């Protein structure tokens, strides 16, 4: 698991301990009343009813303590790209988006209305509606006069911080950090990704048509065979016969070449006339009859 990057700032929330523990106190008081009825009631109860009342009291106690632990451990962290709301056993991230960070007044003149699902508990945590029409999320654990609205991808987030200046400073640092990351991403050279060659398509076989077969082991290459003494002698004799046949063929070719008569010598004058005759015949024009002054006999 990758280590968590530390947040830019941890925001201290405005808290009203009396309001936060009011639901838990009421639940514990109800649980105590149920136990008193089961133990000290004027009417003697049977075992099934007594165990049922004890179970109800235990359930109310568990719900109250769980609610107190969750609401007392709520915290807000500002990260580079998100605002993280966390509590014991859970968290929720709100990715930041570009937009104005505004302050909304909830008390006094020109106050905006904020209706949350958990307002009857004395604090607001979770989905809410601002001015009756805008769906937002709110973290308000005390009746503060103002809240800071932060633009996120899940809608605007209203946070009631103990120090609004610290929250605004953390949001400014997160915006600068995101800007630096964007500049580094623009200046970074493009990364060439080598795409692997496509794999051959695998035929799809229905489960009903599939037949289980034993996998065949790969074919092993045959090992070289060792020749016996008789086979080696026969191979050497065959090579000797092939060499003797090649030698006899070469000697026969040399003897035939020596027995052929040499060509008769041709006088140089006859050879010259034989070469000049075709050239002289090509220079003579074609006529139907021999010329009177021609010295050559017609062919």
């Amino acid at each position: 698991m990758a280590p968590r990057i530390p947040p830019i700032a941890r925001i201290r929330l405005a808290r009203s301990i009396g309001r936060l523990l009011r639901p838990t106190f009421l639940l514990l008081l109800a649980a105590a009343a149920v136990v008193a009825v089961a133990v000290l009631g004027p009417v003697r109860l049977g075992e099934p009813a007594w165990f049922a009342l004890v179970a109800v009291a235990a359930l109310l106690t568990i719900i109250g303590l769980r609610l107190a632990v969750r609401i007392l451990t709520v915290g807000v962290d500002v990260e580079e790209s998100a605002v993280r709301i966390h509590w014991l056993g859970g968290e929720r991230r709100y990715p930041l988006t570009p937009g104005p960070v505004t302050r909304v007044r909830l008390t006094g003149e020109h106050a905006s209305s904020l209706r949350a699902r958990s307002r009857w508990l004395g604090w607001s945590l979770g989905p809410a509606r601002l001015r009756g029409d805008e769906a937002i999320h709110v973290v308000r654990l005390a009746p503060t006069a103002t809240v800071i609205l932060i633009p996120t991808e899940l809608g605007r987030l209203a946070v009631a911080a103990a120090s609004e200046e610290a929250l605004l400073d953390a949001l400014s640092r997160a915006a600068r950090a995101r800007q630096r990351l964007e500049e580094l991403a623009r200046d970074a050279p493009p990364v060439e990704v080598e795409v692997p060659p496509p794999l051959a398509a695998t035929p799809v076989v229905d489960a009903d048509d599939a037949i289980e077969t034993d996998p065949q082991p790969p074919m092993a290459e045959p090992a070289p065979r060792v020749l016996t003494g008789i086979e080696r002698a026969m191979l050497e004799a065959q090579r000797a016969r092939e060499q003797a046949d090649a030698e006899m063929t070469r000697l026969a070719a040399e003897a035939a070449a020596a027995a052929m008569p040499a060509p008769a010598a041709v006088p140089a004058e006859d050879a010259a006339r034989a070469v000049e005759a075709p050239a002289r015949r090509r220079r003579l024009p074609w006529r139907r009859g021999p010329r009177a002054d021609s010295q050559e006999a017609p062919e």
Side-chain angles (χ1 to χ4, degrees):
M1 182 177 179
R4 182 185 294 275
I5 300 176
I8 292 178
R10 297 184 182 274
I11 306 302
R12 189 167 63 88
L13 298 174
R15 300 177 187 272
S16 176
I17 301 300
R19 286 175 174 266
L20 296 180
L21 296 181
R22 184 185 301 171
T24 301
F25 176 75
L26 294 177
L27 290 173
L28 294 179
L29 186 60
V34 171
V35 172
V37 170
V39 175
L40 304 175
V43 180
R44 183 175 181 82
L45 301 175
E47 291 186 359
W50 188 85
F51 281 115
L53 290 178
V54 171
V56 170
L59 181 62
L60 292 175
T61 303
I62 292 173
I63 294 175
L65 294 177
R66 185 173 182 273
L67 187 62
V69 169
R70 178 177 180 181
I71 200 64
L72 291 176
T73 57
V74 171
V76 175
D77 293 344
V78 176
E79 301 176 351
E80 291 184 358
S81 59
V83 175
R84 174 172 166 262
I85 310 297
H86 58 89
W87 57 90
L88 184 63
E91 66 174 17
R92 187 169 187 182
R93 296 171 60 86
Y94 294 83
L96 296 172
T97 57
V101 178
T102 57
R103 179 187 286 108
V104 177
R105 179 170 293 278
L106 301 178
T107 59
E109 294 184 5
H110 308 291
S112 300
S113 62
L114 179 65
R115 295 183 177 276
R117 296 178 181 176
S118 57
R119 66 183 184 276
W120 60 274
L121 296 175
W123 38 266
S124 301
L125 181 63
R129 283 200 170 271
L130 181 64
R131 302 184 186 94
D133 57 354
E134 182 183 359
I136 65 172
H137 295 262
V138 62
V139 180
R140 187 170 180 241
L141 306 182
T144 57
T146 58
V147 293
I148 299 298
L149 286 177
I150 306 170
T152 69
E153 294 182 359
L154 303 179
R156 292 205 290 179
L157 175 66
V159 178
S163 173
E164 294 182 349
E165 289 74 14
L167 176 59
L168 295 176
D169 179 67
L171 293 173
S172 299
R173 284 187 288 165
R176 290 193 295 269
R178 290 197 308 274
Q179 185 177 2
R180 287 196 300 269
L181 291 177
E182 292 175 358
E183 292 176 355
L184 292 175
R186 287 195 302 267
D187 298 339
V191 180
E192 297 182 359
V193 180
E194 183 178 356
V195 180
L199 300 177
T202 304
V204 179
V205 182
D206 294 338
D208 296 338
D209 299 336
I211 301 175
E212 297 183 359
T213 57
D214 295 334
Q216 298 293 333
M219 298 296 294
E221 296 183 358
R225 190 172 62 88
V226 180
L227 299 178
T228 61
I230 298 176
E231 292 176 342
R232 190 179 297 108
M234 293 175 63
L235 182 60
E236 292 177 355
Q238 182 180 357
R239 291 178 180 175
R241 287 196 300 271
E242 292 176 355
Q243 292 178 359
D245 293 342
E247 185 67 21
M248 292 178 62
T249 302
R250 186 180 63 81
L251 294 176
E254 292 179 357
M260 292 180 62
V266 180
E269 297 177 358
D270 295 343
R273 283 196 299 272
V275 173
E276 293 176 358
R280 188 167 57 250
R281 285 196 299 270
R282 284 194 300 269
R283 287 195 301 268
L284 292 177
W286 175 262
R287 295 186 181 279
R288 293 187 179 276
R291 294 179 56 182
D293 54 354
S294 176
Q295 301 297 329
E296 297 181 359
E299 296 181 359

